[in-house]
Amino acid sequence: MRYNSQSELMFKIRNVFEAGILAVLVGVPVFKLDITLTARIVVLCLTALPLGIFGLMGIDGEPLSSFVFAFFKWLGNRRVIGKINANPKKQKTKTEKIKKEKQKPENESMLNENCF
């Protein structure tokens, strides 16, 4: 979506076609409903109109079809980063590591007492 110097709103042609297709795909079945004309207009304003505006804007300035193709390409090519370990070893928590560091081996304490 862009603005030209005369303050007129200009849309990409691809976005206009996609918006028209979305609006027609939703609008035609609504016109075939067996309800009053006022109800049809309300339903169209709640369904086809927002879809048409969404199609005109696109996602991040790109057409909806480009986003959909990129999304499915990403789904097919996504990978897991990192190594998955089938048999993980038990990892010590921080408190266990601190307790182990604070404990003195018994042999060293005996040597220190007997030497003096």
Side-chain angles (χ1 to χ4, degrees), residues 30-31 35-49:
V30 170
F31 273 120
I35 54 177
T36 64
L37 180 62
T38 306
R40 286 184 202 160
I41 292 172
V42 170
V43 171
L44 283 172
C45 288
L46 294 175
T47 57
L49 185 63

Side-chain angles (χ1 to χ4, degrees), residues 30-101:
V30 170
F31 273 120
K32 292 184 179 183
L33 292 175
D34 190 25
I35 54 177
T36 64
L37 180 62
T38 306
R40 286 184 202 160
I41 292 172
V42 170
V43 171
L44 283 172
C45 288
L46 294 175
T47 57
L49 185 63
L51 281 176
I53 293 171
F54 182 60
L56 281 175
M57 292 186 318
I59 296 177
D60 198 26
E62 294 294 322
L64 293 178
S65 59
S66 296
F67 176 77
V68 170
F69 291 136
F71 177 72
F72 284 114
K73 187 176 179 182
W74 173 79
L75 279 179
N77 294 329
R78 63 183 168 169
R79 301 286 184 260
V80 176
I81 298 175
K83 183 179 177 183
I84 298 174
N85 195 354
N87 297 322
K89 296 179 182 177
K90 182 181 175 187
Q91 296 180 353
K92 295 182 180 178
T93 61
K94 287 185 177 182
T95 55
E96 291 175 350
K97 290 179 183 178
I98 292 172
K99 286 180 183 178
K100 187 175 181 180
E101 290 175 1

